[in-house]
Amino acid sequence: NLVEGQPPVTIVRHITRSVMAGQRIGILGANGQGKSTLVKTIAHALQPLGGEFAEGKGLAVGYFAQQELDLLSEDDTPMQRMVRLARESGATGQEAREQELRNFLGQFRFAGDMVHQKVGTLSGGERARLVMATIVWGKPNLLLLDEPTNHLDLNTREALSIALNEFEGTVMLVSHDRALLREVCDEFWLVAGGELKPFDGDLDDYQKWLLEQSREASKAATAQSRKLREDAAPKRKEDRKAAAAARQARADEAKPLKKELT
């Protein structure tokens, strides 16, 4: 993981995994364990700090992450963005291309004048759909999705689930949306404790695992708190003795004065 101005930090290490064509993998793990770091490394958004990384011939990666929404130009429109992609892919024929792009954007619920609406006026869900459209246009055979449903409404989530099930390539999905994970993924990998391992179980088993981890963390925190209290007890006892001695000293000093006053 890279933070500007700081040395790189290794979050996940000793990964020896292969991703095969057609696999549909759900990436599980608590926040901060390295799920996004793993996906970013596969997408080349981050460079690995060590080891070897090999890609199969003809690999085309489509990468969706929440930060991609922030990279959209506010003055752009869905049509302008798709026209540029079409030109980059070598498409020809102005009228045919525009109608083709309208039809394509319509699959992502950009209909009518919405294709000419400024990105700056789009909702979070609409921006997410536009980013997803640009990814699908590139015809990837590996989809890397990092929390794709955060800004999507229920209907769009269901449409995404259907689209992913119809997608014939490989999917690696990071999500807290268990319905999406359950509908799309055939297997799960778990990122925890700096390691990546296959998770032997389903999402119900994962829920039980999370609960057990929470209990263990709570026990550890309670034990640590108890130890701190026990370590502090002798000092508190000494402090109480010192305070009592100070009160007695003040009382002794006050005795002559009180006697004289009387």
Side-chain angles (χ1 to χ4, degrees):
N1 195 21
L2 300 178
V3 178
E4 187 174 352
Q6 298 182 13
V9 177
T10 301
I11 296 181
V12 188
R13 54 176 58 81
H14 306 312
I15 299 174
T16 54
R17 305 295 305 167
S18 296
V19 179
M20 309 303 292
Q23 279 187 285
R24 315 182 78 75
I25 304 166
I27 310 297
L28 307 177
N31 290 336
Q33 292 297 306
K35 302 187 301 295
S36 293
T37 297
L38 171 68
V39 173
K40 286 179 182 178
T41 303
I42 298 173
H44 298 295
L46 286 175
Q47 293 301 312
L49 300 179
E52 297 180 355
F53 185 86
E55 293 184 353
K57 185 178 180 180
L59 179 66
V61 177
Y63 172 53
F64 177 93
Q66 292 303 310
Q67 59 265 30
E68 299 297 313
L69 276 62
D70 299 327
L71 299 179
L72 294 172
S73 173
E74 296 290 300
D75 293 327
D76 221 348
T77 70
M79 180 59 75
Q80 289 171 341
R81 186 174 178 84
M82 294 308 302
V83 166
R84 284 198 302 274
L85 288 176
R87 287 173 180 168
E88 291 170 4
S89 63
T92 58
Q94 179 67 34
E95 292 183 4
R97 181 168 68 243
E98 182 168 335
Q99 187 57 51
E100 177 188 357
L101 295 179
R102 276 185 173 275
N103 294 341
F104 181 78
L105 285 168
Q107 298 174 23
F108 295 86
R109 295 174 59 194
F110 290 100
D113 292 338
M114 278 194 72
V115 300
H116 297 301
Q117 191 172 332
K118 297 288 187 183
V119 167
T121 66
L122 298 180
S123 67
E126 290 164 345
R127 290 179 181 226
R129 296 205 306 270
L130 178 56
V131 171
M132 195 68 71
T134 61
I135 291 172
V136 173
W137 178 264
K139 297 180 179 179
N141 48 32
L142 169 60
L143 277 179
L144 303 172
L145 306 173
D146 191 356
E147 297 293 354
T149 60
N150 279 3
H151 296 286
L152 302 184
D153 57 36
L154 182 59
N155 289 336
T156 308
R157 289 186 183 197
E158 292 176 352
L160 174 62
S161 175
I162 293 171
L164 290 177
N165 280 320
E166 293 175 352
F167 178 64
E168 296 180 355
T170 305
V171 176
M172 297 186 74
L173 172 63
V174 175
S175 179
H176 289 95
D177 187 334
R178 295 186 183 174
L180 183 66
L181 286 167
R182 186 174 286 109
E183 292 165 5
V184 172
C185 301
D186 300 324
E187 59 183 297
F188 300 102
W189 291 0
L190 176 64
V191 182
E195 296 182 334
L196 173 68
K197 296 180 179 180
F199 184 75
D200 187 18
D202 56 21
L203 290 177
D204 292 332
D205 296 321
Y206 177 60
Q207 175 68 18
K208 295 175 184 175
W209 180 86
L210 284 178
L211 184 59
E212 184 61 30
Q213 293 297 305
S214 177
R215 287 172 178 167
E216 292 295 328
S218 179
K219 288 180 182 177
T222 301
Q224 179 68 12
S225 178
R226 184 184 299 115
K227 185 176 184 303
L228 290 174
R229 289 197 302 271
E230 291 172 352
D231 291 343
K235 185 177 185 303
R236 289 200 299 270
K237 187 175 182 181
E238 292 176 3
D239 290 344
R240 286 197 297 271
K241 287 182 178 180
R247 287 196 300 272
Q248 186 61 49
R250 288 196 298 271
D252 292 342
E253 291 177 357
K255 278 181 181 179
L257 297 176
K258 289 181 177 180
K259 184 176 182 180
E260 184 176 345
L261 183 60
T262 299

